[in-house]
């Protein structure tokens, strides 16, 4: 990518029917990987809670943790569109506080936008954020921050009542001005219907191939955590956990046997003579 990817580029891609690629990242190194691989948008997802911070789900992630990781991602990527994912209870209580918290992603971290979960109940907040100039990515369907209320993770929108509610949520959020809408864990036919009916770019995860963009969780894609868990919608492209453990095992074994550090990885009192 030569140019910084912006909301305008995303809109133009939807108009041309071209797919955009989004991936989660959580620090400068993973952001660099994503940018080098040609990913256009990075979500500093609160999935960092269960994939890298060791929490059981996304609920314990704090605003300060999320801001710190978003800033690190921005430092690792100057070209990707970076979206900070607002953690549970940082935007649900009070619009004033939510706008202040959202603003910190742009002012302190260099993020380009924020994401928040929820349908029509989020409309007053989304309208206010858009009014003050904060680009918003909505998120409907399976909402990880509602895992306790829902009693687990499940597909949404198969029942007619839920399908209708999701169509209405999508239309309302679109009208309120979200620039993009994550559709998570919904049938592909419904995702296609929403994609065709909204101006915003849809970003699917577990929603089939018919959305304007796709997003995946980096740890799923790379086999990062080593816990063997892989959601049905995710595909494992590498086993970074296995590669890392093997490399660390070799290091530990060389330390124990005394073969590391060898002369090439240490210095002596007499400096090496420069090669002629
Ligand atoms: O936190 C996250 O990674 C997300 C994606 C699942 C969209 O919200």
């Amino acid at each position: 990518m030569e140019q910084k990817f912006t909301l305008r580029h995303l809109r133009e891609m939807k108009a041309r029917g071209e797919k955009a690629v989004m991936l989660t990242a959580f620090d400068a190194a993973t952001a660099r990987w994503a940018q080098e691989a040609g990913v256009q948008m990075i979500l500093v997802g609160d999935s960092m809670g269960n994939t890298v911070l060791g929490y059981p789900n996304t609920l314990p992630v704090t605003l300060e943790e999320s801001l710190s990781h978003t800033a690190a991602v921005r430092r690792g990527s100057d070209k990707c569109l970076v979206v900070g994912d607002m953690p549970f209870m940082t935007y649900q209580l009070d619009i004033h506080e939510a706008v202040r918290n959202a603003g910190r992603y742009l002012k302190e971290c260099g993020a380009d936008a924020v994401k928040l979960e929820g349908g029509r109940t989020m409309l007053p907040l989304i309208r206010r954020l858009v009014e003050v100039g904060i680009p918003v990515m909505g998120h409907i369907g399976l909402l990880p921050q509602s895992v306790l209320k829902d009693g687990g993770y499940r597909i949404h929108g198969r029942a007619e009542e839920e399908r209708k509610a999701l169509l209405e949520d999508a239309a309302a959020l679109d009208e309120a001005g979200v620039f993009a809408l994550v559709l998570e864990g919904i049938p592909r036919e419904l995702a296609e219907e929403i994609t065709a009916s909204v101006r915003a770019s849809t970003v699917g995860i577990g929603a089939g191939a018919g959305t304007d963009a796709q997003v995946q969780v980096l740890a799923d894609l790379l086999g990062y955590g080593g816990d063997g868990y892989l959601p049905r919608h995710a595909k494992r492209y590498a086993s970074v956990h296995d590669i890392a453990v093997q490399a660390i095992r070799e290091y530990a074994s060389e330390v124990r046997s005394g073969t590391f550090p060898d002369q090439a990885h240490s210095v002596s009192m007499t400096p090496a003579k420069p090669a002629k």
Side-chain angles (χ1 to χ4, degrees), residues 8-20 174 179 194-202 210-212:
R8 182 170 57 80
H9 295 123
L10 185 64
R11 263 196 306 275
E12 289 169 357
M13 287 183 79
K14 176 166 178 128
R16 290 196 299 266
E18 227 178 282
K19 302 279 183 195
D174 193 42
F179 74 95
I194 293 174
T195 300
S197 67
V198 295
R199 277 167 304 189
S201 300
T202 55
T211 51
D212 298 309

mmCIF file with all atom_site columns, all heavy atoms in Angstrom, residues 8-20 174 179 194-202 210-212:
data_model
loop_
_atom_site.group_PDB
_atom_site.id
_atom_site.type_symbol
_atom_site.label_atom_id
_atom_site.label_alt_id
_atom_site.label_comp_id
_atom_site.label_asym_id
_atom_site.label_entity_id
_atom_site.label_seq_id
_atom_site.pdbx_PDB_ins_code
_atom_site.Cartn_x
_atom_site.Cartn_y
_atom_site.Cartn_z
_atom_site.occupancy
_atom_site.B_iso_or_equiv
_atom_site.pdbx_formal_charge
_atom_site.auth_seq_id
_atom_site.auth_comp_id
_atom_site.auth_asym_id
_atom_site.auth_atom_id
_atom_site.pdbx_PDB_model_num
ATOM 1   N N   . ARG A 1 8   ? -12.702 7.059   2.536  1.00 0.00 ? 8   ARG A N   1
ATOM 2   C CA  . ARG A 1 8   ? -13.064 7.312   1.137  1.00 0.00 ? 8   ARG A CA  1
ATOM 3   C C   . ARG A 1 8   ? -12.690 6.105   0.269  1.00 0.00 ? 8   ARG A C   1
ATOM 4   O O   . ARG A 1 8   ? -13.473 5.660   -0.576 1.00 0.00 ? 8   ARG A O   1
ATOM 5   C CB  . ARG A 1 8   ? -12.336 8.580   0.626  1.00 0.00 ? 8   ARG A CB  1
ATOM 6   C CG  . ARG A 1 8   ? -12.680 8.947   -0.803 1.00 0.00 ? 8   ARG A CG  1
ATOM 7   C CD  . ARG A 1 8   ? -12.139 10.316  -1.168 1.00 0.00 ? 8   ARG A CD  1
ATOM 8   N NE  . ARG A 1 8   ? -10.686 10.432  -0.995 1.00 0.00 ? 8   ARG A NE  1
ATOM 9   C CZ  . ARG A 1 8   ? -9.785  9.990   -1.850 1.00 0.00 ? 8   ARG A CZ  1
ATOM 10  N NH1 . ARG A 1 8   ? -10.153 9.385   -2.961 1.00 0.00 ? 8   ARG A NH1 1
ATOM 11  N NH2 . ARG A 1 8   ? -8.489  10.129  -1.606 1.00 0.00 ? 8   ARG A NH2 1
ATOM 12  N N   . HIS A 1 9   ? -11.503 5.542   0.512  1.00 0.00 ? 9   HIS A N   1
ATOM 13  C CA  . HIS A 1 9   ? -11.091 4.361   -0.263 1.00 0.00 ? 9   HIS A CA  1
ATOM 14  C C   . HIS A 1 9   ? -12.065 3.204   -0.029 1.00 0.00 ? 9   HIS A C   1
ATOM 15  O O   . HIS A 1 9   ? -12.409 2.472   -0.959 1.00 0.00 ? 9   HIS A O   1
ATOM 16  C CB  . HIS A 1 9   ? -9.669  3.923   0.127  1.00 0.00 ? 9   HIS A CB  1
ATOM 17  C CG  . HIS A 1 9   ? -8.633  4.950   -0.223 1.00 0.00 ? 9   HIS A CG  1
ATOM 18  N ND1 . HIS A 1 9   ? -7.794  5.500   0.701  1.00 0.00 ? 9   HIS A ND1 1
ATOM 19  C CD2 . HIS A 1 9   ? -8.335  5.534   -1.397 1.00 0.00 ? 9   HIS A CD2 1
ATOM 20  C CE1 . HIS A 1 9   ? -7.008  6.382   0.107  1.00 0.00 ? 9   HIS A CE1 1
ATOM 21  N NE2 . HIS A 1 9   ? -7.317  6.417   -1.169 1.00 0.00 ? 9   HIS A NE2 1
ATOM 22  N N   . LEU A 1 10  ? -12.511 3.059   1.212  1.00 0.00 ? 10  LEU A N   1
ATOM 23  C CA  . LEU A 1 10  ? -13.424 1.958   1.537  1.00 0.00 ? 10  LEU A CA  1
ATOM 24  C C   . LEU A 1 10  ? -14.751 2.144   0.781  1.00 0.00 ? 10  LEU A C   1
ATOM 25  O O   . LEU A 1 10  ? -15.289 1.184   0.214  1.00 0.00 ? 10  LEU A O   1
ATOM 26  C CB  . LEU A 1 10  ? -13.662 1.926   3.055  1.00 0.00 ? 10  LEU A CB  1
ATOM 27  C CG  . LEU A 1 10  ? -14.510 0.765   3.574  1.00 0.00 ? 10  LEU A CG  1
ATOM 28  C CD1 . LEU A 1 10  ? -13.826 -0.582  3.319  1.00 0.00 ? 10  LEU A CD1 1
ATOM 29  C CD2 . LEU A 1 10  ? -14.785 0.917   5.080  1.00 0.00 ? 10  LEU A CD2 1
ATOM 30  N N   . ARG A 1 11  ? -15.251 3.380   0.780  1.00 0.00 ? 11  ARG A N   1
ATOM 31  C CA  . ARG A 1 11  ? -16.510 3.676   0.055  1.00 0.00 ? 11  ARG A CA  1
ATOM 32  C C   . ARG A 1 11  ? -16.355 3.368   -1.427 1.00 0.00 ? 11  ARG A C   1
ATOM 33  O O   . ARG A 1 11  ? -17.219 2.771   -2.066 1.00 0.00 ? 11  ARG A O   1
ATOM 34  C CB  . ARG A 1 11  ? -16.856 5.166   0.207  1.00 0.00 ? 11  ARG A CB  1
ATOM 35  C CG  . ARG A 1 11  ? -17.858 5.471   1.301  1.00 0.00 ? 11  ARG A CG  1
ATOM 36  C CD  . ARG A 1 11  ? -18.431 6.880   1.140  1.00 0.00 ? 11  ARG A CD  1
ATOM 37  N NE  . ARG A 1 11  ? -17.437 7.940   1.052  1.00 0.00 ? 11  ARG A NE  1
ATOM 38  C CZ  . ARG A 1 11  ? -16.879 8.549   2.092  1.00 0.00 ? 11  ARG A CZ  1
ATOM 39  N NH1 . ARG A 1 11  ? -17.223 8.220   3.312  1.00 0.00 ? 11  ARG A NH1 1
ATOM 40  N NH2 . ARG A 1 11  ? -15.986 9.524   1.922  1.00 0.00 ? 11  ARG A NH2 1
ATOM 41  N N   . GLU A 1 12  ? -15.208 3.787   -1.981 1.00 0.00 ? 12  GLU A N   1
ATOM 42  C CA  . GLU A 1 12  ? -14.986 3.567   -3.417 1.00 0.00 ? 12  GLU A CA  1
ATOM 43  C C   . GLU A 1 12  ? -14.910 2.071   -3.734 1.00 0.00 ? 12  GLU A C   1
ATOM 44  O O   . GLU A 1 12  ? -15.369 1.626   -4.778 1.00 0.00 ? 12  GLU A O   1
ATOM 45  C CB  . GLU A 1 12  ? -13.693 4.280   -3.864 1.00 0.00 ? 12  GLU A CB  1
ATOM 46  C CG  . GLU A 1 12  ? -13.839 5.788   -3.871 1.00 0.00 ? 12  GLU A CG  1
ATOM 47  C CD  . GLU A 1 12  ? -12.501 6.527   -4.054 1.00 0.00 ? 12  GLU A CD  1
ATOM 48  O OE1 . GLU A 1 12  ? -11.425 5.877   -4.123 1.00 0.00 ? 12  GLU A OE1 1
ATOM 49  O OE2 . GLU A 1 12  ? -12.554 7.766   -4.106 1.00 0.00 ? 12  GLU A OE2 1
ATOM 50  N N   . MET A 1 13  ? -14.329 1.306   -2.811 1.00 0.00 ? 13  MET A N   1
ATOM 51  C CA  . MET A 1 13  ? -14.226 -0.141  -3.052 1.00 0.00 ? 13  MET A CA  1
ATOM 52  C C   . MET A 1 13  ? -15.609 -0.775  -3.071 1.00 0.00 ? 13  MET A C   1
ATOM 53  O O   . MET A 1 13  ? -15.905 -1.648  -3.879 1.00 0.00 ? 13  MET A O   1
ATOM 54  C CB  . MET A 1 13  ? -13.343 -0.795  -1.982 1.00 0.00 ? 13  MET A CB  1
ATOM 55  C CG  . MET A 1 13  ? -11.874 -0.475  -2.176 1.00 0.00 ? 13  MET A CG  1
ATOM 56  S SD  . MET A 1 13  ? -10.819 -1.311  -0.993 1.00 0.00 ? 13  MET A SD  1
ATOM 57  C CE  . MET A 1 13  ? -10.746 -2.954  -1.692 1.00 0.00 ? 13  MET A CE  1
ATOM 58  N N   . LYS A 1 14  ? -16.493 -0.319  -2.163 1.00 0.00 ? 14  LYS A N   1
ATOM 59  C CA  . LYS A 1 14  ? -17.862 -0.863  -2.164 1.00 0.00 ? 14  LYS A CA  1
ATOM 60  C C   . LYS A 1 14  ? -18.531 -0.546  -3.505 1.00 0.00 ? 14  LYS A C   1
ATOM 61  O O   . LYS A 1 14  ? -19.171 -1.408  -4.105 1.00 0.00 ? 14  LYS A O   1
ATOM 62  C CB  . LYS A 1 14  ? -18.681 -0.287  -1.003 1.00 0.00 ? 14  LYS A CB  1
ATOM 63  C CG  . LYS A 1 14  ? -20.146 -0.770  -1.044 1.00 0.00 ? 14  LYS A CG  1
ATOM 64  C CD  . LYS A 1 14  ? -20.902 -0.521  0.236  1.00 0.00 ? 14  LYS A CD  1
ATOM 65  C CE  . LYS A 1 14  ? -22.354 -0.976  0.102  1.00 0.00 ? 14  LYS A CE  1
ATOM 66  N NZ  . LYS A 1 14  ? -22.800 -1.862  1.147  1.00 0.00 ? 14  LYS A NZ  1
ATOM 67  N N   . ALA A 1 15  ? -18.353 0.685   -3.970 1.00 0.00 ? 15  ALA A N   1
ATOM 68  C CA  . ALA A 1 15  ? -18.984 1.091   -5.238 1.00 0.00 ? 15  ALA A CA  1
ATOM 69  C C   . ALA A 1 15  ? -18.470 0.238   -6.402 1.00 0.00 ? 15  ALA A C   1
ATOM 70  O O   . ALA A 1 15  ? -19.215 -0.078  -7.328 1.00 0.00 ? 15  ALA A O   1
ATOM 71  C CB  . ALA A 1 15  ? -18.715 2.570   -5.492 1.00 0.00 ? 15  ALA A CB  1
ATOM 72  N N   . ARG A 1 16  ? -17.196 -0.147  -6.335 1.00 0.00 ? 16  ARG A N   1
ATOM 73  C CA  . ARG A 1 16  ? -16.611 -0.961  -7.425 1.00 0.00 ? 16  ARG A CA  1
ATOM 74  C C   . ARG A 1 16  ? -16.836 -2.456  -7.227 1.00 0.00 ? 16  ARG A C   1
ATOM 75  O O   . ARG A 1 16  ? -16.438 -3.270  -8.062 1.00 0.00 ? 16  ARG A O   1
ATOM 76  C CB  . ARG A 1 16  ? -15.090 -0.733  -7.498 1.00 0.00 ? 16  ARG A CB  1
ATOM 77  C CG  . ARG A 1 16  ? -14.679 0.640   -8.000 1.00 0.00 ? 16  ARG A CG  1
ATOM 78  C CD  . ARG A 1 16  ? -13.197 0.643   -8.406 1.00 0.00 ? 16  ARG A CD  1
ATOM 79  N NE  . ARG A 1 16  ? -12.296 0.331   -7.301 1.00 0.00 ? 16  ARG A NE  1
ATOM 80  C CZ  . ARG A 1 16  ? -11.715 1.233   -6.529 1.00 0.00 ? 16  ARG A CZ  1
ATOM 81  N NH1 . ARG A 1 16  ? -11.937 2.508   -6.723 1.00 0.00 ? 16  ARG A NH1 1
ATOM 82  N NH2 . ARG A 1 16  ? -10.902 0.867   -5.550 1.00 0.00 ? 16  ARG A NH2 1
ATOM 83  N N   . GLY A 1 17  ? -17.406 -2.831  -6.072 1.00 0.00 ? 17  GLY A N   1
ATOM 84  C CA  . GLY A 1 17  ? -17.624 -4.254  -5.780 1.00 0.00 ? 17  GLY A CA  1
ATOM 85  C C   . GLY A 1 17  ? -16.332 -4.988  -5.469 1.00 0.00 ? 17  GLY A C   1
ATOM 86  O O   . GLY A 1 17  ? -16.218 -6.192  -5.669 1.00 0.00 ? 17  GLY A O   1
ATOM 87  N N   . GLU A 1 18  ? -15.348 -4.232  -4.944 1.00 0.00 ? 18  GLU A N   1
ATOM 88  C CA  . GLU A 1 18  ? -14.030 -4.821  -4.622 1.00 0.00 ? 18  GLU A CA  1
ATOM 89  C C   . GLU A 1 18  ? -13.961 -5.130  -3.126 1.00 0.00 ? 18  GLU A C   1
ATOM 90  O O   . GLU A 1 18  ? -14.360 -4.291  -2.313 1.00 0.00 ? 18  GLU A O   1
ATOM 91  C CB  . GLU A 1 18  ? -12.971 -3.758  -4.929 1.00 0.00 ? 18  GLU A CB  1
ATOM 92  C CG  . GLU A 1 18  ? -11.789 -4.219  -5.712 1.00 0.00 ? 18  GLU A CG  1
ATOM 93  C CD  . GLU A 1 18  ? -10.881 -3.022  -5.954 1.00 0.00 ? 18  GLU A CD  1
ATOM 94  O OE1 . GLU A 1 18  ? -11.183 -2.201  -6.842 1.00 0.00 ? 18  GLU A OE1 1
ATOM 95  O OE2 . GLU A 1 18  ? -9.879  -2.894  -5.237 1.00 0.00 ? 18  GLU A OE2 1
ATOM 96  N N   . LYS A 1 19  ? -13.459 -6.299  -2.769 1.00 0.00 ? 19  LYS A N   1
ATOM 97  C CA  . LYS A 1 19  ? -13.420 -6.716  -1.356 1.00 0.00 ? 19  LYS A CA  1
ATOM 98  C C   . LYS A 1 19  ? -12.276 -6.028  -0.599 1.00 0.00 ? 19  LYS A C   1
ATOM 99  O O   . LYS A 1 19  ? -11.146 -5.983  -1.102 1.00 0.00 ? 19  LYS A O   1
ATOM 100 C CB  . LYS A 1 19  ? -13.168 -8.228  -1.250 1.00 0.00 ? 19  LYS A CB  1
ATOM 101 C CG  . LYS A 1 19  ? -14.204 -9.064  -1.956 1.00 0.00 ? 19  LYS A CG  1
ATOM 102 C CD  . LYS A 1 19  ? -15.436 -9.233  -1.116 1.00 0.00 ? 19  LYS A CD  1
ATOM 103 C CE  . LYS A 1 19  ? -16.430 -10.134 -1.828 1.00 0.00 ? 19  LYS A CE  1
ATOM 104 N NZ  . LYS A 1 19  ? -17.771 -10.065 -1.246 1.00 0.00 ? 19  LYS A NZ  1
ATOM 105 N N   . ALA A 1 20  ? -12.578 -5.563  0.594  1.00 0.00 ? 20  ALA A N   1
ATOM 106 C CA  . ALA A 1 20  ? -11.527 -5.003  1.454  1.00 0.00 ? 20  ALA A CA  1
ATOM 107 C C   . ALA A 1 20  ? -11.177 -6.026  2.538  1.00 0.00 ? 20  ALA A C   1
ATOM 108 O O   . ALA A 1 20  ? -11.994 -6.871  2.896  1.00 0.00 ? 20  ALA A O   1
ATOM 109 C CB  . ALA A 1 20  ? -12.008 -3.708  2.093  1.00 0.00 ? 20  ALA A CB  1
ATOM 110 N N   . ASP A 1 174 ? -27.143 2.511   9.647  1.00 0.00 ? 174 ASP A N   1
ATOM 111 C CA  . ASP A 1 174 ? -26.717 3.106   8.375  1.00 0.00 ? 174 ASP A CA  1
ATOM 112 C C   . ASP A 1 174 ? -27.201 4.553   8.300  1.00 0.00 ? 174 ASP A C   1
ATOM 113 O O   . ASP A 1 174 ? -26.440 5.463   7.967  1.00 0.00 ? 174 ASP A O   1
ATOM 114 C CB  . ASP A 1 174 ? -27.305 2.267   7.235  1.00 0.00 ? 174 ASP A CB  1
ATOM 115 C CG  . ASP A 1 174 ? -26.679 2.592   5.901  1.00 0.00 ? 174 ASP A CG  1
ATOM 116 O OD1 . ASP A 1 174 ? -25.441 2.761   5.855  1.00 0.00 ? 174 ASP A OD1 1
ATOM 117 O OD2 . ASP A 1 174 ? -27.416 2.686   4.901  1.00 0.00 ? 174 ASP A OD2 1
ATOM 118 N N   . PHE A 1 179 ? -19.840 4.285   9.139  1.00 0.00 ? 179 PHE A N   1
ATOM 119 C CA  . PHE A 1 179 ? -19.173 4.132   7.832  1.00 0.00 ? 179 PHE A CA  1
ATOM 120 C C   . PHE A 1 179 ? -19.032 2.664   7.469  1.00 0.00 ? 179 PHE A C   1
ATOM 121 O O   . PHE A 1 179 ? -18.828 2.309   6.310  1.00 0.00 ? 179 PHE A O   1
ATOM 122 C CB  . PHE A 1 179 ? -17.800 4.826   7.812  1.00 0.00 ? 179 PHE A CB  1
ATOM 123 C CG  . PHE A 1 179 ? -16.727 4.097   8.583  1.00 0.00 ? 179 PHE A CG  1
ATOM 124 C CD1 . PHE A 1 179 ? -15.856 3.217   7.934  1.00 0.00 ? 179 PHE A CD1 1
ATOM 125 C CD2 . PHE A 1 179 ? -16.576 4.282   9.955  1.00 0.00 ? 179 PHE A CD2 1
ATOM 126 C CE1 . PHE A 1 179 ? -14.867 2.537   8.636  1.00 0.00 ? 179 PHE A CE1 1
ATOM 127 C CE2 . PHE A 1 179 ? -15.591 3.606   10.664 1.00 0.00 ? 179 PHE A CE2 1
ATOM 128 C CZ  . PHE A 1 179 ? -14.738 2.732   10.008 1.00 0.00 ? 179 PHE A CZ  1
ATOM 129 N N   . ILE A 1 194 ? -28.362 -7.494  3.787  1.00 0.00 ? 194 ILE A N   1
ATOM 130 C CA  . ILE A 1 194 ? -27.974 -6.254  4.476  1.00 0.00 ? 194 ILE A CA  1
ATOM 131 C C   . ILE A 1 194 ? -26.968 -5.482  3.621  1.00 0.00 ? 194 ILE A C   1
ATOM 132 O O   . ILE A 1 194 ? -27.091 -4.274  3.418  1.00 0.00 ? 194 ILE A O   1
ATOM 133 C CB  . ILE A 1 194 ? -27.392 -6.561  5.883  1.00 0.00 ? 194 ILE A CB  1
ATOM 134 C CG1 . ILE A 1 194 ? -28.494 -7.122  6.790  1.00 0.00 ? 194 ILE A CG1 1
ATOM 135 C CG2 . ILE A 1 194 ? -26.759 -5.321  6.490  1.00 0.00 ? 194 ILE A CG2 1
ATOM 136 C CD1 . ILE A 1 194 ? -28.012 -7.609  8.160  1.00 0.00 ? 194 ILE A CD1 1
ATOM 137 N N   . THR A 1 195 ? -25.988 -6.200  3.073  1.00 0.00 ? 195 THR A N   1
ATOM 138 C CA  . THR A 1 195 ? -24.940 -5.553  2.270  1.00 0.00 ? 195 THR A CA  1
ATOM 139 C C   . THR A 1 195 ? -25.541 -4.794  1.088  1.00 0.00 ? 195 THR A C   1
ATOM 140 O O   . THR A 1 195 ? -25.115 -3.677  0.772  1.00 0.00 ? 195 THR A O   1
ATOM 141 C CB  . THR A 1 195 ? -23.930 -6.618  1.768  1.00 0.00 ? 195 THR A CB  1
ATOM 142 O OG1 . THR A 1 195 ? -23.357 -7.248  2.919  1.00 0.00 ? 195 THR A OG1 1
ATOM 143 C CG2 . THR A 1 195 ? -22.821 -6.012  0.918  1.00 0.00 ? 195 THR A CG2 1
ATOM 144 N N   . ALA A 1 196 ? -26.570 -5.384  0.478  1.00 0.00 ? 196 ALA A N   1
ATOM 145 C CA  . ALA A 1 196 ? -27.184 -4.744  -0.693 1.00 0.00 ? 196 ALA A CA  1
ATOM 146 C C   . ALA A 1 196 ? -28.060 -3.561  -0.285 1.00 0.00 ? 196 ALA A C   1
ATOM 147 O O   . ALA A 1 196 ? -28.347 -2.698  -1.119 1.00 0.00 ? 196 ALA A O   1
ATOM 148 C CB  . ALA A 1 196 ? -28.024 -5.770  -1.454 1.00 0.00 ? 196 ALA A CB  1
ATOM 149 N N   . SER A 1 197 ? -28.459 -3.511  1.001  1.00 0.00 ? 197 SER A N   1
ATOM 150 C CA  . SER A 1 197 ? -29.439 -2.483  1.364  1.00 0.00 ? 197 SER A CA  1
ATOM 151 C C   . SER A 1 197 ? -28.849 -1.280  2.099  1.00 0.00 ? 197 SER A C   1
ATOM 152 O O   . SER A 1 197 ? -29.544 -0.318  2.366  1.00 0.00 ? 197 SER A O   1
ATOM 153 C CB  . SER A 1 197 ? -30.543 -3.115  2.227  1.00 0.00 ? 197 SER A CB  1
ATOM 154 O OG  . SER A 1 197 ? -29.990 -3.510  3.471  1.00 0.00 ? 197 SER A OG  1
ATOM 155 N N   . VAL A 1 198 ? -27.548 -1.341  2.480  1.00 0.00 ? 198 VAL A N   1
ATOM 156 C CA  . VAL A 1 198 ? -26.974 -0.207  3.228  1.00 0.00 ? 198 VAL A CA  1
ATOM 157 C C   . VAL A 1 198 ? -25.870 0.495   2.432  1.00 0.00 ? 198 VAL A C   1
ATOM 158 O O   . VAL A 1 198 ? -25.237 -0.110  1.573  1.00 0.00 ? 198 VAL A O   1
ATOM 159 C CB  . VAL A 1 198 ? -26.397 -0.667  4.610  1.00 0.00 ? 198 VAL A CB  1
ATOM 160 C CG1 . VAL A 1 198 ? -27.498 -1.168  5.517  1.00 0.00 ? 198 VAL A CG1 1
ATOM 161 C CG2 . VAL A 1 198 ? -25.304 -1.725  4.429  1.00 0.00 ? 198 VAL A CG2 1
ATOM 162 N N   . ARG A 1 199 ? -25.677 1.798   2.767  1.00 0.00 ? 199 ARG A N   1
ATOM 163 C CA  . ARG A 1 199 ? -24.586 2.560   2.119  1.00 0.00 ? 199 ARG A CA  1
ATOM 164 C C   . ARG A 1 199 ? -23.252 2.215   2.768  1.00 0.00 ? 199 ARG A C   1
ATOM 165 O O   . ARG A 1 199 ? -22.209 2.235   2.126  1.00 0.00 ? 199 ARG A O   1
ATOM 166 C CB  . ARG A 1 199 ? -24.827 4.064   2.296  1.00 0.00 ? 199 ARG A CB  1
ATOM 167 C CG  . ARG A 1 199 ? -25.786 4.642   1.273  1.00 0.00 ? 199 ARG A CG  1
ATOM 168 C CD  . ARG A 1 199 ? -26.202 6.021   1.693  1.00 0.00 ? 199 ARG A CD  1
ATOM 169 N NE  . ARG A 1 199 ? -26.796 5.964   3.048  1.00 0.00 ? 199 ARG A NE  1
ATOM 170 C CZ  . ARG A 1 199 ? -27.416 6.970   3.651  1.00 0.00 ? 199 ARG A CZ  1
ATOM 171 N NH1 . ARG A 1 199 ? -27.485 8.133   3.080  1.00 0.00 ? 199 ARG A NH1 1
ATOM 172 N NH2 . ARG A 1 199 ? -27.937 6.828   4.854  1.00 0.00 ? 199 ARG A NH2 1
ATOM 173 N N   . ALA A 1 200 ? -23.303 1.913   4.066  1.00 0.00 ? 200 ALA A N   1
ATOM 174 C CA  . ALA A 1 200 ? -22.073 1.580   4.795  1.00 0.00 ? 200 ALA A CA  1
ATOM 175 C C   . ALA A 1 200 ? -21.465 0.303   4.223  1.00 0.00 ? 200 ALA A C   1
ATOM 176 O O   . ALA A 1 200 ? -22.177 -0.519  3.629  1.00 0.00 ? 200 ALA A O   1
ATOM 177 C CB  . ALA A 1 200 ? -22.392 1.382   6.273  1.00 0.00 ? 200 ALA A CB  1
ATOM 178 N N   . SER A 1 201 ? -20.157 0.139   4.425  1.00 0.00 ? 201 SER A N   1
ATOM 179 C CA  . SER A 1 201 ? -19.493 -1.094  3.992  1.00 0.00 ? 201 SER A CA  1
ATOM 180 C C   . SER A 1 201 ? -19.712 -2.157  5.058  1.00 0.00 ? 201 SER A C   1
ATOM 181 O O   . SER A 1 201 ? -19.478 -1.898  6.235  1.00 0.00 ? 201 SER A O   1
ATOM 182 C CB  . SER A 1 201 ? -17.996 -0.855  3.821  1.00 0.00 ? 201 SER A CB  1
ATOM 183 O OG  . SER A 1 201 ? -17.787 0.148   2.860  1.00 0.00 ? 201 SER A OG  1
ATOM 184 N N   . THR A 1 202 ? -20.144 -3.329  4.640  1.00 0.00 ? 202 THR A N   1
ATOM 185 C CA  . THR A 1 202 ? -20.321 -4.403  5.620  1.00 0.00 ? 202 THR A CA  1
ATOM 186 C C   . THR A 1 202 ? -19.013 -5.197  5.741  1.00 0.00 ? 202 THR A C   1
ATOM 187 O O   . THR A 1 202 ? -18.304 -5.413  4.753  1.00 0.00 ? 202 THR A O   1
ATOM 188 C CB  . THR A 1 202 ? -21.471 -5.341  5.224  1.00 0.00 ? 202 THR A CB  1
ATOM 189 O OG1 . THR A 1 202 ? -21.221 -5.836  3.902  1.00 0.00 ? 202 THR A OG1 1
ATOM 190 C CG2 . THR A 1 202 ? -22.809 -4.615  5.263  1.00 0.00 ? 202 THR A CG2 1
ATOM 191 N N   . GLY A 1 210 ? -20.416 -12.766 1.070  1.00 0.00 ? 210 GLY A N   1
ATOM 192 C CA  . GLY A 1 210 ? -21.104 -11.706 0.323  1.00 0.00 ? 210 GLY A CA  1
ATOM 193 C C   . GLY A 1 210 ? -20.995 -10.313 0.909  1.00 0.00 ? 210 GLY A C   1
ATOM 194 O O   . GLY A 1 210 ? -21.643 -9.391  0.411  1.00 0.00 ? 210 GLY A O   1
ATOM 195 N N   . THR A 1 211 ? -20.199 -10.128 1.947  1.00 0.00 ? 211 THR A N   1
ATOM 196 C CA  . THR A 1 211 ? -20.070 -8.780  2.532  1.00 0.00 ? 211 THR A CA  1
ATOM 197 C C   . THR A 1 211 ? -19.004 -7.986  1.767  1.00 0.00 ? 211 THR A C   1
ATOM 198 O O   . THR A 1 211 ? -18.220 -8.551  0.997  1.00 0.00 ? 211 THR A O   1
ATOM 199 C CB  . THR A 1 211 ? -19.667 -8.886  4.023  1.00 0.00 ? 211 THR A CB  1
ATOM 200 O OG1 . THR A 1 211 ? -18.531 -9.753  4.123  1.00 0.00 ? 211 THR A OG1 1
ATOM 201 C CG2 . THR A 1 211 ? -20.802 -9.444  4.861  1.00 0.00 ? 211 THR A CG2 1
ATOM 202 N N   . ASP A 1 212 ? -18.968 -6.664  2.035  1.00 0.00 ? 212 ASP A N   1
ATOM 203 C CA  . ASP A 1 212 ? -18.015 -5.811  1.309  1.00 0.00 ? 212 ASP A CA  1
ATOM 204 C C   . ASP A 1 212 ? -16.575 -6.061  1.756  1.00 0.00 ? 212 ASP A C   1
ATOM 205 O O   . ASP A 1 212 ? -15.631 -5.822  1.004  1.00 0.00 ? 212 ASP A O   1
ATOM 206 C CB  . ASP A 1 212 ? -18.352 -4.333  1.556  1.00 0.00 ? 212 ASP A CB  1
ATOM 207 C CG  . ASP A 1 212 ? -19.746 -3.983  1.043  1.00 0.00 ? 212 ASP A CG  1
ATOM 208 O OD1 . ASP A 1 212 ? -20.034 -4.298  -0.128 1.00 0.00 ? 212 ASP A OD1 1
ATOM 209 O OD2 . ASP A 1 212 ? -20.545 -3.420  1.814  1.00 0.00 ? 212 ASP A OD2 1
#
